[in-house]
Amino acid sequence: EVQLVESGGGVVQAGGSLRLSCTASEFTDTDYAKAWFRQVPGQGREGVSCISSNNNTTYYADSVKGRFTISHDNVKNTVYLQMNDLKPEDTAVYYCAARPREIGYQDWEYNYWGQGTQVTVSS
């Protein structure tokens, strides 16, 4: 079973940057599509970004396009979300997720989830 461990959340002022990391427990992580979702209390999980298993296809929500970058390091078995020019509306709990092979765009398509990391952007 794939286990995901997240890190990198914190408190930052508007306009600042953070980099989230998500490390997988097994080498077969290279066969999985990966994604980042975020959730505000009382709302469902919103897709932020995802990347295909071969790292050739990426997706970004319109609200983060041009500011966030998803990447994957196969050697370190780690997925990253670089977040620049953060805005107060980016405040949420961020979750990484993985599913076998095919890329997905909705939370119910993913089988494995990290524990979540809080990102708070002050105005």
Side-chain angles (χ1 to χ4, degrees):
E1 178 177 322
V2 176
Q3 296 183 3
L4 307 175
V5 179
E6 300 175 348
S7 63
V11 180
V12 64
Q13 293 185 2
S17 299
L18 287 172
R19 188 180 72 165
L20 306 183
S21 300
C22 176
T23 300
S25 62
E26 58 185 50
F27 190 73
T28 54
D29 175 65
T30 56
D31 298 326
Y32 289 78
K34 305 93 181 175
W36 289 94
F37 291 80
R38 64 187 182 187
Q39 186 170 30
V40 176
Q43 301 182 18
R45 292 185 180 182
E46 173 192 12
V48 176
S49 182
C50 53
I51 186 168
S52 61
S53 59
N54 60 11
N55 298 337
N56 291 329
T57 302
T58 58
Y59 164 83
Y60 297 94
D62 288 341
S63 59
V64 306
K65 195 172 299 181
R67 299 188 296 120
F68 291 10
T69 302
I70 189 171
S71 62
H72 184 260
D73 187 327
N74 288 333
V75 175
K76 297 181 178 180
N77 220 25
T78 299
V79 181
Y80 302 97
L81 185 68
Q82 178 66 46
M83 305 185 293
N84 297 325
D85 191 25
L86 283 162
K87 304 177 183 298
E89 51 263 41
D90 295 319
T91 295
V93 177
Y94 283 71
Y95 299 87
C96 66
R99 70 185 303 271
R101 297 180 297 279
E102 302 91 353
I103 193 170
Y105 305 100
Q106 301 180 71
D107 56 353
W108 57 265
E109 298 181 89
Y110 287 84
N111 307 94
Y112 306 103
W113 293 85
Q115 80 283 3
T117 184
Q118 177 70 47
V119 172
T120 301
V121 184
S122 63
S123 58

